[in-house]
Amino acid sequence: MSDVNTSTAPDGGSSATLTRLEQEGEIAADYLEGLLDIADLDGDIDMDVEGERASVSIIGDGSSRDLNKLVGRDGEVLEALQELTRLAVHRETGERSRLMLDIAGFRARKRAELAKLGAQAAAEAKETGQPVKLDPMTPFERKVVHDAVAAAGLRSESEGEEPQRRVVVLPV
């Protein structure tokens, strides 16, 4: 069985936007709660609004080994579940969702690793004066790296075609 916890942070947008994003989170939480019940997995569902998107997390209570099955290798299952959850929201609202799903803290850990990678690539580009090309990444991963590079005071761009699209950090 799962518990649903809600918390929202101001997004700087209108209250109508916040209400719409909260509604997306509620729909997603209901969908994911049903999924957890079907799979006979335990987890708490936490909803938030981060910037301009709803964010839903499934958090394990103890050993998250079972929830890791929902993450899959390199987050592949997580990505698929996020798309299915977005489709469930779209079916209910009629609008495209940019909802972000995290399971067992996978995305949070990945975000920290990618921010570190972006900062390191920025430092290398500053030091060498040469562009730094990173390995291909998902759109989520590229966004985190772009943000880290910008925080370090440099510019970056994406190049290539999916699934080989990569971040290139540009020197000053």
Side-chain angles (χ1 to χ4, degrees), residues 83-159:
E83 283 306 309
L84 290 172
T85 305
R86 286 176 174 177
L87 286 171
V89 170
H90 181 264
R91 185 183 66 226
E92 292 288 322
T93 65
E95 294 183 26
R96 184 178 178 278
S97 173
R98 295 180 55 235
L99 177 128
M100 184 65 69
L101 175 63
D102 192 6
I103 299 174
F106 176 82
R107 279 202 201 274
R109 287 187 304 276
K110 189 76 168 175
R111 187 183 308 257
E113 291 169 12
L114 290 165
K116 184 177 176 183
L117 175 66
Q120 290 170 340
E124 182 181 337
K126 278 182 184 176
E127 188 176 307
T128 65
Q130 298 295 315
V132 176
K133 290 186 178 189
L134 300 177
D135 291 335
M137 299 178 184
T138 67
F140 161 76
E141 293 168 334
R142 290 193 308 269
K143 169 79 169 94
V144 174
V145 171
H146 285 305
D147 290 348
V149 170
L154 290 183
R155 215 170 50 80
S156 59
E157 55 190 36
S158 294
E159 71 175 24

Side-chain angles (χ1 to χ4, degrees), residues 23-69:
Q23 178 189 20
E24 284 186 18
E26 291 287 340
I27 294 166
D30 289 345
Y31 175 78
L32 293 165
E33 189 169 355
L35 178 78
L36 290 174
D37 288 344
I38 290 168
D40 196 27
L41 295 173
D42 290 329
D44 294 332
I45 298 176
D46 185 44
M47 296 179 298
D48 201 356
V49 174
E50 296 176 4
E52 293 291 322
R53 67 173 62 192
S55 174
V56 179
S57 299
I58 301 175
I59 303 161
D61 50 352
S63 171
S64 58
R65 171 172 262 137
D66 286 342
L67 287 182
N68 284 334
K69 294 175 187 174

